[in-house]
Amino acid sequence: MRTFFVRVAFVLLVSMALAAQVQVPDTPAGRQLSNWLAAFNSGDKATYQAFLEKNYPARAGDIDHAMSFREMTGGFDLKHAEDCGATKCSAIMQERNSEQFGRIVVEVDPAEPHAIKSFELRPIARPAEFSIPRMTEAEALKAFRGYLDQAAAADRFSGAVLVAKNGKPVFTAVYGMADREKKTPNTLNTKFRIGSMNKMFTATAVLQLVQAGKINLTDPLGKYLTDYPNKDVASKVTIHQLLTHTGGTGDFFGPEFDKHRLELRTLQDYVKFYGQRGPSFDPGSRWEYSNYGFLLLGLVIEKASGQDYYEYVREHIFKPAGMNSTDSMPEDQAVPGRSVGYTKMKGTKEWSPNLDTLPYRGTSAGGGYSTVEDLLAFANALADHKLLDARNLDLLTTGKMETPGGSKYAYGFGDETSADGIRCFGHSGGAPGMNGDLKICPQSGYVIAVLANIDPMAAGHASDFITMRLPKN
């Protein structure tokens, strides 16, 4: 399902503002940034709407999403102004409610009144000049408890958290309600929807079949899906490109999905709706996150293994890893202990259930459910080579393509190294009413698993907070 970057990238382009304590050069573009500060960081809907209508009318229609994003982020602080000319200005900024940094670029019309032509924000790794000192484990976990307490009290976190060292939990915490109507609290055993985190399981399954000699990474999709409708995709897009989001296979979320989401019951149903599309760019030429690409990998797994996708991952990943609470059962089937997701992404100020946004069933691209303890079991099974041998585990998790966020993408895993040299791999997931993150840091021995039943970036902010503060070894 939609990761945070995919779900809010559009909002990020139109909803940024910068704090006043760092001076922006007095240019037309710089002044627009400064003016944006007062509007967005005010948190006042009418003020922000008026600013957009006057200065960026093309984006004035997204006010509800923008204000939801303002509530989630708490606004932004300018950290460093970069190149600010008359018509274009870039700067480094940080979200107030998290550790996330980004680079923002605004371009204005050269003529008065210098209306905004474009806004772009790309997340970046935390710059070295703003690095956070590492703590002892005890200090870091104490600080983490304080962060979670504060976030939960402000209604910015509801979910479960687990930190492990060398395979054993050293910290757990739960907050909020799994079902607010029934007053059912979250627990460590609560099953949370995990969005795109399923991509880790799909990619692991593909590499298992590579290891068994049943899939070749350089083969085109059409070798396995011989009747695939679009011949360019079938002949030009390789398994490697599907795994790395470089095949140009695009997304399936959008108006068409919203209209037919309950009709899309099997992996093949998605091909019926989207299989006629050609590549959106020359396969292999660049990186672009593709949920549909991972949907296709589920069908490749079925062809290569002779098993239903869901049966395959149960038998070859969940069972050997001891993941007894992870699956992708349809939403119309009762799943004991599965939490209700709550969202404000509909432009509301109060949390509401996300039931009218959910697909019929999770797929190989995402949408299943798990627990923090099962995610630790998955990390341990990878480390113990219960799922893949050492060579293929390295192939699975080593970054291959640069991403806009400053990290690399491997095969269904993100691969990021901090400014002080700590490498972690894993994957996040997010959509309305759900957010999760798994970070596996082999050098330090830590695993961080966070799952939330509210909007992004509740889990991502929490995992970033502790990952940056834990000791290096």
Side-chain angles (χ1 to χ4, degrees):
M1 294 186 72
R2 285 157 272 201
T3 62
F4 171 68
F5 178 79
V6 175
R7 286 287 300 140
V8 305
F10 180 71
V11 178
L12 288 171
L13 300 181
V14 301
S15 303
M16 299 300 99
L18 306 172
Q21 64 266 29
V22 176
Q23 291 296 315
V24 179
D26 187 21
T27 67
R31 287 193 295 272
Q32 282 288 33
L33 285 179
S34 296
N35 293 337
W36 201 311
L37 161 67
F40 184 76
N41 279 1
S42 73
D44 181 72
K45 182 176 181 178
T47 299
Y48 191 57
Q49 178 82 54
F51 178 85
L52 289 177
E53 289 177 353
K54 179 181 178 181
N55 298 281
Y56 203 3
R59 297 295 181 258
D62 293 316
I63 188 66
D64 287 337
H65 285 111
M67 297 316 295
S68 295
F69 187 60
R70 165 63 179 81
E71 181 177 347
M72 181 185 74
T73 62
F76 292 86
D77 289 329
L78 179 68
K79 293 298 184 179
H80 176 65
E82 295 184 310
D83 181 19
C84 282
T87 61
K88 194 173 185 178
C89 183
S90 65
I92 301 297
M93 41 76 75
Q94 183 183 3
E95 188 178 315
R96 287 178 175 174
N97 284 346
S98 80
E99 311 291 355
Q100 182 63 57
F101 274 71
R103 173 173 288 106
I104 190 169
V105 181
V106 60
E107 187 174 0
V108 302
D109 195 305
E112 292 283 357
H114 305 298
I116 296 170
K117 294 172 61 177
S118 67
F119 241 103
E120 180 182 60
L121 173 73
R122 293 200 179 271
I124 61 172
R126 190 182 189 95
E129 62 187 295
F130 300 110
S131 62
I132 297 173
R134 296 280 175 180
M135 302 177 177
T136 66
E137 182 180 284
E139 291 170 339
L141 295 179
K142 181 179 180 181
F144 194 30
R145 178 76 68 179
Y147 167 87
L148 291 167
D149 287 347
Q150 185 178 32
D155 207 16
R156 295 197 305 268
F157 186 79
S158 172
V161 180
L162 185 151
V163 180
K165 171 76 171 181
N166 297 328
K168 302 294 183 181
V170 295
F171 178 94
T172 59
V174 290
Y175 295 86
M177 293 288 168
D179 189 318
R180 297 186 180 212
E181 182 180 358
K182 297 179 180 178
K183 309 297 183 186
T184 305
N186 284 318
T187 71
L188 288 179
N189 297 319
T190 297
K191 301 177 181 73
F192 296 89
R193 293 173 182 83
I194 60 175
S196 284
M197 297 175 77
N198 284 81
K199 289 182 173 67
M200 294 183 290
F201 311 145
T202 297
T204 300
V206 172
L207 267 291
Q208 286 179 339
L209 294 166
V210 169
Q211 183 174 297
K214 296 181 178 181
I215 291 178
N216 189 320
L217 292 169
T218 60
D219 282 341
L221 173 68
K223 179 175 179 179
Y224 305 93
L225 306 187
T226 55
D227 57 350
Y228 189 78
N230 185 276
K231 299 309 178 186
D232 283 340
V233 170
S235 63
K236 297 179 181 179
V237 178
T238 67
I239 305 305
H240 164 85
Q241 290 164 354
L242 293 175
L243 286 165
T244 55
H245 299 294
T246 58
T249 43
D251 210 340
F252 48 73
F253 292 112
E256 195 70 10
F257 172 83
D258 294 338
K259 182 180 178 181
H260 298 286
R261 63 184 178 88
L262 298 181
E263 301 170 40
L264 298 168
R265 298 195 165 207
T266 68
L267 301 185
Q268 191 61 46
D269 285 342
Y270 285 81
V271 176
K272 293 176 184 176
F273 273 92
Y274 304 101
Q276 298 291 342
R277 299 184 309 191
S280 60
F281 55 82
D282 186 24
S285 64
R286 62 187 177 92
W287 187 89
E288 183 181 88
Y289 196 85
S290 174
N291 282 300
Y292 185 61
F294 265 77
L295 185 288
L296 294 176
L297 286 170
L299 290 167
V300 171
I301 290 166
E302 291 187 342
K303 292 293 185 179
S305 68
Q307 285 185 274
D308 171 80
Y309 168 78
Y310 302 100
E311 293 176 357
Y312 182 93
V313 293
R314 286 190 201 109
E315 180 179 342
H316 297 276
I317 296 177
F318 302 156
K319 184 177 179 179
M323 300 168 68
N324 299 317
S325 298
T326 303
D327 212 319
S328 294
M329 299 303 293
E331 290 291 342
D332 62 1
Q333 293 189 23
V335 176
R338 184 167 63 183
S339 64
V340 177
Y342 295 93
T343 182
K344 293 182 181 180
M345 285 186 175
K346 302 172 185 177
T348 61
K349 291 188 176 182
E350 301 298 326
W351 296 111
S352 61
N354 66 346
L355 299 178
D356 61 353
T357 70
L358 298 172
Y360 169 78
R361 186 180 194 179
T363 70
S364 48
Y369 51 84
S370 189
T371 68
V372 290
E373 292 178 330
D374 269 16
L375 292 176
L376 174 60
F378 175 63
N380 288 343
L382 289 174
D384 295 340
H385 302 298
K386 292 181 179 179
L387 305 179
L388 289 168
D389 62 26
R391 176 181 173 276
N392 282 287
L393 176 61
D394 185 63
L395 183 61
L396 177 76
T397 59
T398 300
K400 296 159 181 63
M401 295 296 300
E402 297 284 347
T403 72
S407 63
K408 293 184 177 181
Y409 202 89
Y411 288 157
F413 284 77
D415 181 4
E416 186 170 3
T417 300
S418 65
D420 59 355
I422 299 298
R423 174 179 176 256
C424 301
F425 57 85
H427 211 288
S428 63
M434 69 184 79
N435 191 208
D437 197 21
L438 175 67
K439 296 184 189 296
I440 302 169
C441 310
Q443 176 184 343
S444 65
Y446 286 106
V447 172
I448 298 97
V450 186
L451 295 173
N453 61 326
I454 58 175
D455 294 333
M457 285 283 289
H461 287 170
S463 65
D464 287 345
F465 182 96
I466 187 60
T467 302
M468 293 180 184
R469 289 165 173 80
L470 286 167
K472 297 177 71 172
N473 50 49

